[in-house]
Amino acid sequence: MSRAVLSLGSNLGDRLGFLRSVMTGLGPAVRAVSTVYETKPWGVEEQPDFLNAVCVVDDPARDHWAWLRA
């Protein structure tokens, strides 16, 4: 079995829609999802705020490389 913790973030366009599309794309591999939270950018600060979430995924067919590609 392969389990991973994925950190997700979006700051352009439909930010929440993009996060939702990731969850939909991962499908039944998603085991848990954090609440969505908003953060200010850092480094390059002249950009929109981010929406962020973390999810735990689990899929016996995926190794660490497959999670990185996803």
Side-chain angles (χ1 to χ4, degrees):
M1 182 182 309
S2 175
R3 179 172 282 188
V5 177
L6 306 177
S7 175
L8 310 171
S10 178
N11 75 330
L12 300 174
D14 181 6
R15 302 173 303 163
L16 187 57
F18 289 139
L19 293 179
R20 285 181 176 151
S21 71
V22 170
M23 294 300 133
T24 300
L26 293 170
V30 176
R31 299 293 182 247
V33 180
S34 72
T35 58
V36 175
Y37 54 98
E38 189 169 32
T39 59
K40 299 277 185 205
W42 57 274
V44 178
E45 296 177 8
E46 291 81 32
Q47 58 181 320
D49 291 349
F50 283 81
L51 287 186
N52 301 282
V54 175
C55 67
V56 176
V57 290
D58 194 343
D59 185 344
R62 296 187 193 195
D63 63 7
H64 59 287
W65 293 114
W67 289 122
L68 286 171
R69 286 189 297 275

